[in-house]
Amino acid sequence: MITEHKESLNPDDPKDLIDAYLLEMKDRGENPGEAGGVRNETDLRIVLFDALFAGTDTTYNTMKWIFLYLAAYPDKQRKLQEELDSALPSGSLVTLEDKPRIPYTEAVINEVLRMSSLTNVGLPHSPVRDVVLAGYKIPKGSMIIPVTASIHSDPRYWDQPDLFLPERWLSPEGKFVMRKEGYLPFSTGKRSCVGESLARMELMIFTATVAQNFTIGPPEGKTIDLLPDFDNRIIHMARKQDVVFTSRNP
């Protein structure tokens, strides 16, 4: 991709991030005293990897978890489909404007994010001085890695944490209610995921569109395995398995 952009680069009409980055590299080479910072091809590759991994791979893997949970819990899937059928005119595609009208869909997505805990550990932090937290002394310079997956299954924050209950995200009136304490699928603080709003938009539109058109289930005689692939210690990847998509509009 970088090579192709070099060949088609038009300094007067940069078309995307790679073009802009290449122009910055060129400017830095021609004006080393004016263009500061790290601008080289290695750094550009890392930027592109971050964009692909954080912006695409995580959404893709979350969607796999959503499909598996819908297949494993057909009653929850039917409830989601009934909501979509009622809230959206027949044949119409969901948009962001429909979000307030499909609270159960959003509840299902939030519950899958909690149960799957895709990014099961947060970013490392390090204290600048000795501190005591909850009775534990943490020396200056220690590496602290939060284990968000354990928080998502902590009974101090969640009633029956091992159960898949999208209803926990709904008010008695049936409206979606976002809980913050004990819920960290996008981390928290200054280093929280900058793409959270984009990811939530994608997950809502993808989930609703698929559920409008297909019913998802396990192959005949099979069950869905919702345990993560423990070979990956950083990301809770779904285990490889088959699911069946049956058209709702034959």
Side-chain angles (χ1 to χ4, degrees):
M1 289 175 64
I2 295 173
T3 300
E4 291 173 356
H5 278 69
K6 285 180 178 179
E7 294 171 351
S8 64
L9 183 63
N10 180 354
D12 297 323
D13 185 26
K15 58 183 178 293
D16 56 21
L17 170 66
I18 300 178
D19 277 0
Y21 208 105
L22 291 173
L23 291 174
E24 282 287 321
M25 288 170 52
K26 183 174 183 294
D27 184 57
R28 186 172 186 269
E30 294 176 352
N31 304 286
E34 297 178 12
V38 177
R39 297 290 186 274
N40 56 56
E41 195 166 318
T42 298
D43 194 61
L44 175 56
R45 290 195 187 99
I46 295 172
V47 169
L48 295 178
F49 172 81
D50 286 343
L52 177 64
F53 175 74
T56 302
D57 196 64
T58 49
T59 301
Y60 159 73
N61 280 293
T62 301
M63 285 306 307
K64 287 204 295 186
W65 277 117
I66 290 173
F67 294 155
L68 289 175
Y69 271 93
L70 291 177
Y73 292 90
D75 56 328
K76 310 296 185 185
Q77 182 175 188
R78 281 192 298 270
K79 189 173 180 179
L80 184 152
Q81 290 173 326
E82 289 169 0
E83 175 185 78
L84 293 171
D85 294 344
S86 174
L88 303 175
S90 178
S92 65
L93 293 177
V94 67
T95 69
L96 283 181
E97 286 70 28
D98 298 314
K99 186 175 180 180
R101 301 162 57 201
I102 51 173
Y104 192 76
T105 302
E106 194 165 5
V108 167
I109 293 170
N110 263 38
E111 186 70 346
V112 171
L113 287 170
R114 182 189 72 85
M115 293 286 289
S116 63
S117 293
L118 182 69
T119 51
N120 60 309
V121 295
L123 292 174
H125 290 69
S126 182
V128 296
R129 61 181 181 277
D130 292 350
V131 296
V132 176
L133 179 64
Y136 292 92
K137 181 180 179 182
I138 304 176
K140 172 184 176 181
S142 301
M143 181 181 291
I144 308 300
I145 302 177
V147 183
T148 54
S150 67
I151 298 172
H152 287 163
S153 59
D154 193 326
R156 291 176 296 178
Y157 301 108
W158 309 98
D159 181 37
Q160 298 179 295
D162 295 332
L163 297 184
F164 180 67
L165 295 174
E167 291 76 10
R168 72 172 82 243
W169 298 94
L170 301 177
S171 70
E173 297 74 32
K175 294 184 178 180
F176 177 77
V177 178
M178 172 60 79
R179 295 181 51 180
K180 290 294 185 181
E181 190 173 22
Y183 185 61
L184 303 170
F186 297 95
S187 192
T188 187
K190 292 181 179 180
R191 301 290 185 244
S192 64
C193 176
V194 297
E196 178 176 354
S197 60
L198 174 62
R200 288 190 175 279
M201 176 190 72
E202 292 174 333
L203 294 175
M204 186 197 76
I205 291 176
F206 295 165
T207 300
T209 302
V210 171
Q212 280 180 293
N213 292 281
F214 297 95
T215 294
I216 309 169
E220 186 175 355
K222 299 290 184 67
T223 58
I224 300 296
D225 187 352
L226 294 175
L227 285 175
D229 182 352
F230 292 112
D231 288 340
N232 192 316
R233 305 298 179 90
I234 304 299
I235 303 295
H236 274 172
M237 305 280 284
R239 298 192 177 199
K240 292 182 179 180
Q241 56 198 297
D242 292 331
V243 293
V244 177
F245 287 77
T246 303
S247 176
R248 300 183 66 208
N249 308 292

